[in-house]
Amino acid sequence: MGDNVEEYYFDIRNNNKQEPDFPKVNLELKTTGLIYTGPDHKRQAKERLAITSIDWMSILDKPFCDSYLYHKMQKILLMAYDYDKSQKNVFDMIFRVIGIWKIPDSDIPKLKRDWNTILKEVKEGKAHEISSRDTKYLEAATTGKGHGETRPQPNSAIEAKPRRWALKSSYVTTMIAELANQQAYEQIAKDENEENLPIEDLVQKRFAPYFGKTKEELKDILHINCSMRAKQFYAELTKKILGINTDKRIDEFEKANIVVRTIRQNKNGTVREHVSFPAINYKLIVNTNWADSSLYRYMTSLFLFVVFQENQDNQYLLSKLVWWYPTNSDMKEARKVFYATKNLVKNNDYKHFPKVSGFDGKGSHIHVRPHGTKKEVGATPQGTFEPKKSFWLTNKYVKSIIDKV
C-alpha cells in the first residue's frame, strides 16, 4: 500500500533515501492497516510502522536527536486504512484516518531510552541478539526480506540480521486514536525528576504507599465507587493509584502494550485463578494466522501482575508488583496451542481443545477452557453456537513467575 500511495497518488518514485518523503516541509509519509478486535470492535494498528533501515556500521556515529530516524519521524503524514485480507486489490481498501502526527514531547525521553537500549547492544557486539522485548515504543525490527541474509556489525565478528527502526503496533494504535480525536488516553502525572524514570520504576513508586492495604481499605482511601465484586474494580484501583481518570486508558500502558492482571495468592502461596485472555472468536480464528492472532498480541505484551496476598485473617493485602515478558518457549507453546485449537474449530470439534495436561500429558503453560458463564455462546463457522472459550495461562505457571521475583 505504501509504495502505491507514494507513486500513484503523490508521484514520489520509490526510493531508499534517508530524508523525509517531503523534504521541503520535513514531512514523512506512512500508511498503515487497521484491524478491529474484541467484542467492542476496538480499532488497532495491524502491525508495526517501519521508519527507516538500520546501518549497523554507522549507527553509533550520531545521538538520537541527530539521527536519520529522529529526523524522519518528527512529523508524519499518517494514512490509515481498513485492512481486508480477502481484498485482492489494495486500491479498493478504504482509508479511515488521515492526518499529520508529531512526536509528543513527553514521549521523546522514552523513545530515546529505547534507542539507547539498542545502541548498548550494538556497542557490546550483540546486534545479533537484539529482541523486540528489549524496548517499549521503538524497536529494531527484522525486515521480512532477504531470509538468511546477514550484515557486518561493529565490535563483533558475528554478523547480524538486517533490521529497520519501527514504532511498535501498540504505539501506532495510539497515534491513530490521537489523529481521530479520540481522547481516550491519559498520562501518569510526573514530577520534573520523574520524566526519565522507566515505566516499571514509576509504577512501583506510585504503588509503594498502598502495599499492605486490604481491598476494603484501598476502596475507601482511593474513593472507588464500584463494588469490590465488579469486574472493573481492580482496573479502577490501578487507575486511581496511578492518578488516571477511570474513563480513560493509561497512555504509557497502551503505547508500550502493557497488560494488567490482578493475582490473588492464598496463604500457602498457591495462585487462586488461571489468567484468561479474551474469548475466542470461532469464525475469525479459522482464517487467522498466528502472527495476526489476538493470542500473539497478548504473548508479545509486557504483563504487570498486581499481586494480593492472603494473610492469617483471610484478608487479601496488596503485596507486590511483578513484571513479566513471555519467553521464547512460552511463544512456542502458545503457537502450538493456537494452531491445535484452530484446526479443531475447522473440523467442528469443540470438545477436545488443549487442556492443562498439555500435548504430552506433562502439563502446559497455556490451555483452552470456558470463558464466562455456561450460557454465553459464540457463533461458529459451521453456523451453530458453542459455549464461549478462551486461552488461559495456568495458575501454577503464574505462581512460578511470581516466585522468581
Side-chain angles (χ1 to χ4, degrees):
M1 178 66 87
D3 289 345
N4 284 313
V5 168
E6 280 188 354
E7 186 166 353
Y8 297 114
Y9 191 83
F10 288 105
D11 200 24
I12 299 172
R13 293 284 181 90
N14 295 153
N15 62 78
N16 293 316
K17 292 179 181 179
Q18 292 282 13
E19 66 180 12
D21 294 301
F22 304 101
K24 289 185 179 180
V25 289
N26 193 30
L27 181 66
E28 178 73 359
L29 171 65
K30 291 295 177 186
T31 60
T32 188
L34 299 171
I35 57 174
Y36 299 83
T37 61
D40 57 351
H41 214 51
K42 182 183 176 184
R43 182 164 60 191
Q44 294 180 313
K46 177 181 177 290
E47 55 197 1
R48 63 176 71 95
L49 189 67
I51 305 298
T52 190
S53 59
I54 299 175
D55 182 350
W56 296 125
M57 300 307 292
S58 66
I59 192 176
L60 303 176
D61 296 345
K62 295 181 179 180
F64 175 68
C65 289
D66 291 334
S67 66
Y68 290 122
L69 168 68
Y70 182 69
H71 190 49
K72 289 193 79 164
M73 73 175 182
Q74 267 188 304
K75 191 166 62 172
I76 295 175
L77 172 59
L78 186 63
M79 304 177 65
Y81 60 94
D82 286 345
Y83 174 77
D84 184 353
K85 187 177 181 179
S86 65
Q87 186 60 256
K88 294 181 181 180
N89 191 341
V90 295
F91 294 108
D92 289 330
M93 296 187 194
I94 299 171
F95 283 91
R96 294 295 180 190
V97 180
I98 299 175
I100 293 178
W101 175 87
K102 296 180 181 179
I103 304 175
D105 291 340
S106 57
D107 285 354
I108 292 177
K110 302 167 183 104
L111 292 164
K112 188 175 181 180
R113 187 183 300 120
D114 287 343
W115 162 275
N116 288 330
T117 297
I118 300 298
L119 260 63
K120 182 176 182 292
E121 295 283 296
V122 178
K123 285 177 183 176
E124 295 175 356
K126 297 179 180 178
H128 56 290
E129 297 180 5
I130 289 171
S131 167
S132 62
R133 296 186 182 93
D134 299 333
T135 53
K136 301 292 193 304
Y137 294 1
L138 187 67
E139 65 177 306
T142 51
T143 63
K145 297 179 181 179
H147 182 68
E149 182 183 349
T150 57
R151 306 274 173 80
Q153 64 165 313
N155 307 325
S156 175
I158 302 173
E159 294 197 338
K161 291 179 181 178
R163 291 178 181 262
R164 55 190 175 183
W165 290 112
L167 292 168
K168 293 193 174 187
S169 60
S170 52
Y171 189 88
V172 181
T173 296
T174 66
M175 293 168 62
I176 294 163
E178 180 184 329
L179 293 177
N181 294 318
Q182 295 175 337
Q183 303 300 319
Y185 305 102
E186 187 176 345
Q187 291 195 350
I188 303 170
K190 307 173 192 67
D191 298 332
E192 284 186 15
N193 61 348
E194 294 176 334
E195 287 296 336
N196 292 314
L197 270 183
I199 187 64
E200 296 90 342
D201 295 344
L202 180 63
V203 172
Q204 184 74 25
K205 188 175 180 180
R206 292 291 182 272
F207 268 80
Y210 302 100
F211 289 130
K213 305 289 185 185
T214 65
K215 289 194 302 179
E216 292 79 5
E217 290 171 330
L218 290 169
K219 187 178 190 303
D220 290 338
I221 294 169
L222 298 168
H223 306 293
I224 298 174
N225 295 322
C226 71
S227 166
M228 288 187 291
R229 294 183 177 181
K231 286 184 179 180
Q232 71 268 29
F233 175 78
Y234 290 106
E236 287 200 12
L237 185 149
T238 299
K239 288 180 180 180
K240 288 276 190 178
I241 289 176
L242 297 177
I244 304 292
N245 287 317
T246 54
D247 63 339
K248 301 288 186 181
R249 291 177 181 151
I250 305 168
D251 182 86
E252 292 88 345
F253 284 19
E254 296 291 327
K255 288 177 177 175
N257 199 21
I258 295 171
V259 175
V260 184
R261 289 289 185 268
T262 302
I263 305 297
R264 291 188 295 174
Q265 265 192 307
N266 294 333
K267 297 172 191 175
N268 60 6
T270 58
V271 171
R272 288 191 56 170
E273 302 94 356
H274 303 286
V275 174
S276 71
F277 301 129
I280 297 168
N281 184 322
Y282 297 130
K283 295 176 75 173
L284 186 61
I285 193 173
V286 293
N287 295 311
T288 303
N289 293 321
W290 163 240
D292 295 326
S293 68
S294 60
L295 180 59
Y296 177 87
R297 284 176 174 266
Y298 274 95
M299 294 304 292
T300 51
S301 301
L302 172 60
F303 282 78
L304 169 58
F305 293 134
V306 180
V307 183
F308 282 78
Q309 177 74 50
E310 186 183 24
N311 65 9
Q312 295 305 314
D313 298 322
N314 301 321
Q315 293 178 308
Y316 284 90
L317 310 180
L318 180 58
S319 171
K320 57 189 170 185
L321 304 180
V322 176
W323 297 88
W324 174 66
Y325 253 134
T327 64
N328 288 333
S329 62
D330 295 326
M331 292 290 286
K332 288 179 182 177
E333 183 76 11
R335 186 179 187 276
K336 194 173 180 180
V337 171
F338 170 80
Y339 276 114
T341 303
K342 175 180 176 176
N343 290 332
L344 287 166
V345 173
K346 273 186 176 180
N347 294 325
N348 197 24
D349 184 351
Y350 296 87
K351 296 181 180 179
H352 299 96
F353 289 137
K355 300 179 180 179
V356 176
S357 57
F359 295 100
D360 55 5
K362 297 179 181 178
S364 172
H365 300 161
I366 300 160
H367 63 285
V368 177
R369 63 191 296 122
H371 182 102
T373 66
K374 293 181 179 179
K375 293 181 180 179
E376 292 185 60
V377 295
T380 72
Q382 292 80 22
T384 59
F385 290 89
E386 292 288 338
K388 283 188 176 181
K389 295 188 178 181
S390 63
F391 298 104
W392 296 70
L393 286 176
T394 62
N395 55 356
K396 287 184 179 179
Y397 189 58
V398 175
K399 179 184 183 300
S400 73
I401 293 167
I402 293 171
D403 288 346
K404 288 178 183 177
V405 177

